[in-house]
């Protein structure tokens, strides 16, 4: 399965169908444990999407998101559907893209009330920036942009819990609005998806169309009218975002290929006129009296790749010792390195796929450290060359 696709997950069949209508050439893909995905292409583009259904709830969403990431190693995972608005900032039909997600059911019950102890996951900076750009361009909606009926994209927090919120006056509704007053929308799956993305080093974006105001009007005729419209708007923005994400991935791959080719040309190296000189190089390789200035020497086989992975492990440990990597990320990074190392030693037919997936997940975990990402790039290529 190509690793240049985007995974889109939904909780409801209505949301699934809204995304599915944007895709062509759909083919069924079955996970080992029976979960079904459909893989197709966004109409009019070359962007490939793996579409899956999680059903309601953070727990179910987390499990299916984990399976999707492991199965496809996607460019990004988008969770798409409808949500209730907590405030009047967002109109019915508008789209909310999460800047961060609250798991608001974390707390402690004390004599003087319930104290909030949420978990929070921020959306990856690159995806947030791209979403903001698409909102400014405003060419994603199915309707006519610029009219009074055109949906707008809002950016802010989304609160995710374990129960359907359908009141403005209940004790829990008042508590949520008091403790999470910056949240624009409320739903039941984003926290699970965000946690799965965090543990796997996969970028996640949550995109919701506003179908109601979480005020007691769910299941009314008005809600039944707005649900499909809100789902369609969320699907339109999400597929537009998916197209741009894969386009960026292609441009990055082309840029890396260009740099690799340049490193092998006369302009990309320095020749030493002395026949037996010793040259110190911080990053690169030396052949005879030619110094090749590359980001890192390419591992040409399993043994070389394993040695390079062991070297990268020391880089990770140093970062952790210096306090740059938190304990959870450090342990997850070591786990992915171990997985890639075992795959490199594997004599089954799929070592390349396993090692590449592990290194791509590792790349997501260390994405905030450009020098580590640069060191990983040739290792990902080397893993893909395993046979």
């Amino acid at each position: 399965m190509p690793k240049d696709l985007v995974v889109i997950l939904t909780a409801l069949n209505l949301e699934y169908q809204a995304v599915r209508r944007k895709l062509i050439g759909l083919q069924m893909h079955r996970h080992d444990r029976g979960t079904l995905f459909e893989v197709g292409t966004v109409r009019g583009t070359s962007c490939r999407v793996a579409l899956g259904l999680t059903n309601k709830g953070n727990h179910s969403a987390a499990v299916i998101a984990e399976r999707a990431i492991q199965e496809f190693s996607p460019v990004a995972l988008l969770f798409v559907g409808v949500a209730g608005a907590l405030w009047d900032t967002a109109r019915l039909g508008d789209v909310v893209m999460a800047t961060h997600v609250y798991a608001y059911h974390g707390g402690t019950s004390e004599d003087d009330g319930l104290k909030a102890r949420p978990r929070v996951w921020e959306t990856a900076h690159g995806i947030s920036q791209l979403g903001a750009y698409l909102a400014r361009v405003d060419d994603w909606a199915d309707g006519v942009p610029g009219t009074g009926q055109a949906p707008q994209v809002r950016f802010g927090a989304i609160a995710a819990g374990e129960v359907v919120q359908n009141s403005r006056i209940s004790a829990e509704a008042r508590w949520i609005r008091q403790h999470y007053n910056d949240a624009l929308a409320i739903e039941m799956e984003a926290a699970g998806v965000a946690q799965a993305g965090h543990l796997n080093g996969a970028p996640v974006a949550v995109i919701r169309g506003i179908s109601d105001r979480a005020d007691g009007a769910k299941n009314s005729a008005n809600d039944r009218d707005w649900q499909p419209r809100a789902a369609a708007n969320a699907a339109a923005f999400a597929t537009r975002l998916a197209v741009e994400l894969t386009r960026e991935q292609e441009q990055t791959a082309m840029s890396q290929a260009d740099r690799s080719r340049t490193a092998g040309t006369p302009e990309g190296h320095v020749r030493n006129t002395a026949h037996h000189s010793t040259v110190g190089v911080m990053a690169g390789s030396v052949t005879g009296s030619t110094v090749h200035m590359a980001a890192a020497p390419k591992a040409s086989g399993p043994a070389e790749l394993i040695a390079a992975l062991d070297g990268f492990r020391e880089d990770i440990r140093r970062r952790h010792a210096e306090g740059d990597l938190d304990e959870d990320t450090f342990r997850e990074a070591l786990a992915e390195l171990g997985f890639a190392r075992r795959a490199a030693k594997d004599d089954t037919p799929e070592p390349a796929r396993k090692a590449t997936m592990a290194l791509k997940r590792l790349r997501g975990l260390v994405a905030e450290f450009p020098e580590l990402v640069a060191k990983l790039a040739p290792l990902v290529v080397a893993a893909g060359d395993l046979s």
Side-chain angles (χ1 to χ4, degrees):
M1 179 66 63
K3 305 303 187 296
D4 57 353
L5 54 68
V6 172
V7 167
I8 296 181
L9 300 179
T10 72
L12 305 176
N13 189 61
L14 176 143
E15 301 160 340
Y16 185 100
Q17 293 291 356
V19 177
R20 194 176 191 272
R21 284 190 286 270
K22 297 288 185 181
L23 307 178
I24 59 174
L26 289 157
Q27 294 184 337
M28 189 175 71
H29 180 93
R30 184 186 295 272
H31 183 271
D32 290 344
R33 298 299 180 184
T35 303
L36 295 182
F37 299 91
E38 287 189 281
V39 180
T41 304
V42 178
R43 194 180 303 275
T45 76
S46 60
C47 172
R48 290 170 55 78
V49 168
L51 177 61
L53 185 69
T54 68
N55 293 315
K56 296 179 182 179
N58 286 296
H59 302 301
S60 175
V63 171
I64 302 303
E66 167 85 9
R67 289 183 176 179
I69 294 168
Q70 294 287 338
E71 188 75 1
F72 298 106
S73 189
V75 173
L77 188 152
L78 311 183
F79 200 85
V80 180
V82 300
L86 287 174
W87 310 101
D88 294 334
T89 306
R91 306 171 306 177
L92 294 179
D94 280 355
V95 171
V96 174
M97 181 172 174
T99 55
H100 50 292
V101 173
Y102 293 126
Y104 67 79
H105 268 125
T108 176
S109 180
E110 300 181 5
D111 290 344
D112 58 346
L114 180 62
K115 306 298 177 61
R117 288 186 179 177
R119 295 198 66 182
V120 184
W121 298 269
E122 289 192 11
T123 301
H125 177 68
I127 296 183
S128 290
Q129 290 286 293
L130 192 54
Y133 166 76
L134 294 178
R136 290 192 297 269
V137 172
D138 196 24
D139 64 352
W140 57 271
D142 290 334
V144 180
T147 67
Q149 299 302 313
Q152 296 183 17
V153 184
R154 313 283 182 174
F155 296 88
I158 287 180
E162 304 300 332
V163 299
V164 175
Q165 289 296 331
N166 192 27
S167 173
R168 280 184 179 269
I169 61 174
S170 70
E172 187 171 64
R174 292 195 301 269
W175 184 84
I176 291 170
R177 287 174 170 83
Q178 176 185 359
H179 290 277
Y180 303 95
N181 53 43
D182 63 331
L184 298 182
I186 189 166
E187 42 97 304
M188 298 174 60
E189 291 82 28
V193 175
Q195 173 73 346
H198 170 71
L199 293 178
N200 286 278
V204 169
V206 178
I207 299 164
R208 294 290 194 170
I210 298 300
S211 62
D212 64 83
R213 299 200 175 280
D215 60 357
K218 286 186 186 291
N219 302 318
S220 66
N222 194 46
D223 180 52
R224 287 192 296 272
D225 178 52
W226 274 107
Q227 261 206 352
R229 294 164 65 180
N233 290 342
F237 186 75
T239 50
R240 180 75 168 84
L241 179 60
V243 169
E244 292 302 317
L245 285 167
T246 54
R247 184 175 297 163
E248 280 196 347
Q249 179 81 353
E250 291 170 358
Q251 291 173 346
T252 300
M254 291 173 62
S255 177
Q256 290 175 346
D258 289 342
R259 286 197 296 270
S260 297
R261 285 194 295 270
T262 301
T265 65
E267 291 78 10
H269 63 258
V270 178
R271 294 191 180 276
N272 181 12
T273 56
H275 291 295
H276 302 288
S277 297
T278 299
V279 181
V281 184
M282 292 187 65
S285 60
V286 180
T287 304
S289 60
T290 301
V291 182
H292 301 273
M293 299 303 293
K298 181 180 179 181
S300 58
E304 291 83 356
L305 176 58
I306 290 170
L309 292 175
D310 290 342
F312 193 84
R313 181 173 55 197
E314 295 309 310
D315 292 332
I316 293 292
R317 284 176 172 165
R318 185 175 65 255
R319 284 285 187 177
H320 177 248
E322 293 172 354
D324 296 331
L325 278 179
D326 62 74
E327 186 67 25
D328 287 344
T329 303
F330 173 62
R331 292 185 180 278
E332 291 159 18
L334 289 182
E336 296 299 348
L337 273 172
F339 193 89
R341 198 178 189 279
R342 290 191 296 274
K345 296 172 64 176
D346 198 352
D347 59 359
T348 65
E350 289 194 329
R353 176 177 178 273
K354 293 177 181 178
T356 302
M357 288 175 63
L359 292 180
K360 284 188 175 182
R361 291 192 295 269
L362 176 59
R363 184 173 60 192
L365 289 170
V366 300
E368 62 183 288
F369 305 106
E371 66 278 13
L372 293 181
V373 173
K375 288 184 178 181
L376 265 180
L379 303 187
V380 174
V381 174
D385 291 339
L386 293 175
S387 57

